[in-house]
Amino acid sequence: MSEKVLERHEVPKEDTWDLEAIFSNDNEWEKSAESLKSKLSEMDAFRGKLGDNAETLYQALRKQLELEEQIGLLYTYAHMRHDQDTSNSFYAALQDKAYGLVSLLNQKTAFVTPELLALEETKLNAFIKEKKELSLFAHMFDQLQKQKAHVLSNEEEELLARAKEVLNASSQAFSALNNADIEFPSIQDKNGKDLQITHGRFISLLQGKDRTVRKKAFEAVYQTYNSYKNTFAATLSGQVKGDIFTAQSRRYESAREAALSSTHIPLAVYDQLITTVEEHLPLLHRYVSLRKKCLDVEELHMYDLYTPIVKDIEYQVTYEEAQKEVIAAVKPLGDEYVQKLKKGFEQRWVDVQENKGKRSGAYSSGTYGTMPYILMNWQDDVDNLFTLAHEFGHSLHSDYTRSTQPYLYGDYTIFVAEVASTLNEALLHHHLIQTLDDKQKKLYILNYFLEGFRGTVFRQTMFAEFEQMIHERSESGEALTADDLTSMYYDLNVKYYGPDMVVDKEIGLEWARIPHFYYNFYVFQYATGYSAAQALSKQIIEEGQPAVDRFIEFLKTGSSDYPIEMLKKAGVDMTTSQPVEQAMKLFEETLKQMEELMES
């Protein structure tokens, strides 16, 4: 680990994403933004006229898509420029301009949905029959009809569109505080040298062998969050209240129902995830006991959760080595998939290195007409190897979708998003277990799988339970104070990790650093997506080409079908508890495999 965090201008060009492929420079972005702004008023000509005739309806919808596609390019460039250095005030302003354009477009097009829903179904069908090009919108029309009870009048829709920028303020404030303003102290490593803690380094430090360093890093990070806990409580409370305001405005019974209805996911999927995972918490407790035994500690603390329990092993992976491993791992998906992956490395989809001010974590981004970009904060470890495979799963999903579907359906819902990414991780795990000869490294990967499962299924479900709790508390009129949030979160950790874990008081503050709590009931889909991915990866490995064909077709579908139906066609039914049960069985089998290998 380098002691110095690079400034953005010090990062080699080959390790940065090629945003110039979107706009060659910032001036080009400004010209495009001004051009788009002048075109927004063109939507006014269609207000109140969508029911006049088929041609007017088609031209209005085509104009809306044209404007949305252009604004997608502007927003993507601006937010990614900002994310590469969140301390850069110019790009912060550029991102604000992009948000403003999105808000203006939402205002100008707010009349479309209410007017579409006002059309009689027989009239709409007649329009489609008269103007065959309108058949493109058939699935969209069907989705709207299912949402009819929650769509408001033109004036009310426009008011909500105007409010969207204000409702995003809490999330933006959290991002600015967490990524740009908050600073962690330096700690001393085992050699007595000062090491600055960053978001990108935090987990790497917790994965280290030196328990004293782990403890120092853990306490330093959460002591820092404790200093800002009231501010973070205010931003999270503001986000929750915004979710509730939008849900109540649209006549939903809860914010959770509103969030899931947008992708037509039954509430039972959410409920049975929490129920099924809680029924299997003894498996997590068994893993915690194994971890305590392997680390040979009298007490197992929260800062002991990330360090590998396989001793005396150095398992570093450079970015160049990671590329080779990921390429080899996805070969079961076929030559076309592999070639697309290689193209991503060659064409600078990935922003590789951490630099000062860069947004923490990793993601896949881009929009229709751009590369499916990836943000990383690379550290030479196995976690980053799997993260790279994960994000390329997202990006290749985007690539297949955008190259197959028209713009209208050229994206995919959050519910299916985690399937493609987690399937790549599953294939990587299978590849490493099959090819590694070193017993210690194989144990390391088995432990990595168990730890990944803990983080993706158990932990994300705990997040989902916390998110449901805080929304329900706010919906009942109770305040979300820093102390209440910390207490609720602490108690959940006690329940999930069981009797062999010392749940340090600091972990109660972890809610303050989790960005996904600002994503409006997003996190449960990590766990459901993981479960679906494990089932699909098993089919691909065991069945071969038929399963591959189903999966590639799934990647191409975009949003042209309902997510539950897409997954059924791919081979899993998420309306049942079976995928989660299967995932739990896999966790138990892997846990047993590791226990036996450690005894051999």
Side-chain angles (χ1 to χ4, degrees):
M1 183 184 296
S2 171
E3 292 184 15
K4 180 186 177 185
V5 180
L6 297 177
E7 299 285 349
R8 180 66 188 182
H9 66 85
E10 296 176 316
V11 179
K13 182 178 180 180
E14 61 269 21
D15 284 346
T16 64
W17 45 24
D18 184 13
L19 298 188
E20 292 80 9
I22 309 176
F23 293 103
S24 59
N25 54 56
D26 300 332
N27 287 334
E28 186 183 346
W29 187 96
E30 295 281 6
K31 291 177 182 177
S32 181
E34 286 301 313
S35 174
L36 175 69
K37 193 172 182 180
S38 68
K39 292 178 182 178
L40 292 178
S41 60
E42 294 176 12
M43 287 300 301
D44 294 339
F46 301 104
R47 185 184 296 269
K49 299 179 180 179
L50 297 191
D52 286 0
N53 54 67
E55 182 64 26
T56 298
L57 176 59
Y58 173 69
Q59 293 300 332
L61 295 177
R62 192 178 72 167
K63 174 57 66 175
Q64 181 180 10
L65 293 182
E66 175 191 319
L67 294 172
E68 287 178 353
E69 186 171 355
Q70 292 176 27
I71 212 165
L73 297 172
L74 290 164
Y75 174 77
T76 296
Y77 179 88
H79 97 76
M80 292 173 67
R81 282 294 191 202
H82 177 251
D83 285 353
Q84 71 187 28
D85 185 358
T86 58
S87 65
N88 186 310
S89 59
F90 176 83
Y91 288 124
L94 208 68
Q95 180 174 254
D96 284 344
K97 288 182 183 179
Y99 280 133
L101 288 171
V102 172
S103 180
L104 285 174
L105 177 62
N106 289 336
Q107 293 170 39
K108 289 292 186 181
T109 59
F111 70 92
V112 174
T113 296
E115 287 193 30
L116 283 174
L117 290 174
L119 291 175
E120 294 291 335
E121 191 172 356
T122 53
K123 188 175 185 178
L124 186 57
N125 289 335
F127 280 175
I128 295 173
K129 187 175 181 180
E130 176 186 342
K131 184 77 174 177
K132 65 179 182 179
E133 288 89 346
L134 280 171
S135 61
L136 169 68
F137 300 91
H139 180 60
M140 185 194 82
F141 294 153
D142 186 59
Q143 289 176 298
L144 283 176
Q145 287 298 320
K146 287 178 169 30
Q147 296 289 313
K148 191 169 185 175
H150 306 288
V151 176
L152 310 178
S153 68
N154 287 4
E155 293 77 13
E156 290 169 325
E157 287 291 341
E158 185 170 342
L159 185 62
L160 277 183
R162 289 177 183 274
K164 188 166 290 187
E165 193 170 2
V166 177
L167 294 172
N168 286 333
S170 291
S171 177
Q172 292 177 44
F174 165 80
S175 180
L177 176 59
N178 198 44
N179 291 310
D181 292 343
I182 198 168
E183 290 188 8
F184 302 112
S186 295
I187 60 172
Q188 287 191 330
D189 65 14
K190 60 184 179 182
N191 298 315
K193 292 183 179 180
D194 287 339
L195 180 64
Q196 180 187 346
I197 302 174
T198 65
H199 283 292
R201 288 177 172 176
F202 180 48
I203 297 300
S204 293
L205 289 169
L206 293 184
Q207 292 171 337
K209 293 181 178 180
D210 192 319
R211 197 178 193 209
T212 301
V213 170
R214 297 201 303 268
K215 185 174 187 291
K216 285 181 180 178
F218 179 83
E219 291 176 346
V221 163
Y222 288 114
Q223 285 168 5
T224 303
Y225 277 102
N226 188 58
S227 300
Y228 296 91
K229 65 179 181 180
N230 293 312
T231 304
F232 279 114
T235 61
L236 183 54
S237 178
Q239 177 68 35
V240 170
K241 288 177 180 177
D243 295 341
I244 295 170
F245 168 80
T246 302
Q248 291 178 343
S249 298
R250 293 197 176 281
R251 300 185 288 270
Y252 286 101
E253 293 187 7
S254 68
R256 186 171 69 118
E257 182 192 8
L260 270 64
S261 71
S262 64
T263 48
H264 307 278
I265 306 301
L267 288 176
V269 173
Y270 199 105
D271 293 332
Q272 73 184 8
L273 169 68
I274 293 177
T275 300
T276 306
V277 169
E278 287 195 344
E279 287 173 353
H280 290 83
L281 284 180
L283 284 176
L284 178 58
H285 301 167
R286 177 176 156 191
Y287 169 63
V288 167
S289 297
L290 175 64
R291 172 169 282 276
K292 181 180 179 181
K293 177 182 177 182
C294 292
L295 291 178
D296 192 22
V297 292
E298 186 174 337
E299 293 183 338
L300 187 75
H301 287 259
M302 300 302 294
Y303 49 79
D304 297 319
L305 269 176
Y306 291 89
T307 187
I309 58 180
V310 182
K311 299 178 181 179
D312 302 321
I313 183 172
E314 290 289 338
Y315 200 163
Q316 291 190 323
V317 184
T318 66
Y319 181 64
E320 291 71 23
E321 292 168 340
Q323 294 179 58
K324 295 176 182 177
E325 293 287 12
V326 174
I327 289 170
V330 301
K331 283 184 178 179
L333 293 176
D335 291 339
E336 181 185 59
Y337 192 95
V338 170
Q339 291 307 313
K340 284 178 177 288
L341 178 62
K342 289 180 177 178
K343 181 175 70 173
F345 290 125
E346 294 165 359
Q347 295 184 354
R348 289 173 53 209
W349 291 4
V350 189
D351 201 79
V352 183
Q353 295 193 39
E354 181 181 15
N355 58 256
K356 287 185 179 178
K358 187 176 180 180
R359 172 178 164 153
S360 61
Y363 65 63
S364 171
S365 188
T367 188
Y368 202 88
T370 76
M371 302 174 189
Y373 295 100
I374 294 172
L375 178 139
M376 294 287 296
N377 283 274
W378 189 263
Q379 307 289 323
D380 288 342
D381 56 35
V382 171
D383 184 60
N384 275 258
L385 165 63
F386 275 87
T387 299
L388 187 67
H390 180 100
E391 299 305 338
F392 258 103
H394 284 309
S395 286
L396 288 177
H397 190 180
S398 298
D399 192 61
Y400 271 105
T401 292
R402 294 168 190 165
S403 61
T404 305
Q405 296 293 333
Y407 172 78
L408 179 61
Y409 305 120
D411 203 353
Y412 42 83
T413 66
I414 295 171
F415 188 74
V416 300
E418 294 305 315
V419 176
S421 56
T422 308
L423 184 135
N424 267 15
E425 290 193 72
L427 292 178
L428 177 59
H429 172 79
H430 177 77
H431 162 71
L432 292 173
I433 291 299
Q434 294 297 312
T435 57
L436 286 172
D437 295 325
D438 188 292
K439 175 185 173 181
Q440 291 301 103
K441 285 189 174 182
K442 185 172 288 191
L443 282 169
Y444 187 100
I445 295 301
L446 289 170
N447 174 218
Y448 185 87
F449 173 85
L450 295 172
E451 186 57 26
F453 193 106
R454 178 193 70 81
T456 307
V457 180
F458 288 112
R459 188 165 183 255
Q460 298 296 337
T461 302
M462 184 181 76
F463 284 177
E465 191 168 353
F466 178 73
E467 191 170 9
Q468 183 175 347
M469 289 168 64
I470 61 178
H471 278 80
E472 288 177 347
R473 176 169 289 207
S474 187
E475 284 166 340
S476 68
E478 297 182 58
L480 295 177
T481 68
D483 289 343
D484 288 339
L485 291 167
T486 302
S487 177
M488 284 189 288
Y489 194 84
Y490 179 88
D491 290 344
L492 279 174
N493 275 270
V494 171
K495 178 173 73 173
Y496 269 71
Y497 287 104
D500 279 339
M501 173 67 75
V502 175
V503 181
D504 303 277
K505 61 181 176 58
E506 290 89 350
I507 201 63
L509 288 157
E510 189 180 40
W511 60 266
R513 60 175 284 264
I514 306 299
H516 293 83
F517 293 148
Y518 295 80
Y519 295 176
N520 194 15
F521 290 97
Y522 179 102
V523 292
F524 86 99
Q525 294 161 115
Y526 284 113
T528 54
Y530 185 99
S531 301
Q534 294 300 330
L536 291 175
S537 65
K538 184 177 181 181
Q539 292 173 20
I540 287 167
I541 291 167
E542 294 179 355
E543 292 182 36
Q545 198 60 45
V548 171
D549 292 342
R550 291 196 303 271
F551 179 69
I552 297 299
E553 190 60 33
F554 161 79
L555 297 181
K556 293 178 178 179
T557 305
S559 57
S560 64
D561 198 355
Y562 293 108
I564 289 290
E565 297 305 314
M566 290 165 56
L567 287 173
K568 283 182 182 178
K569 293 173 184 177
V572 291
D573 185 356
M574 296 306 298
T575 63
T576 72
S577 62
Q578 187 176 8
V580 182
E581 294 278 2
Q582 290 175 340
M584 289 296 170
K585 184 178 180 181
L586 177 62
F587 180 83
E588 185 173 18
E589 290 172 351
T590 307
L591 181 57
K592 182 179 179 182
Q593 186 180 1
M594 184 167 187
E595 289 168 338
E596 291 175 348
L597 191 59
M598 292 192 76
E599 294 295 328
S600 66

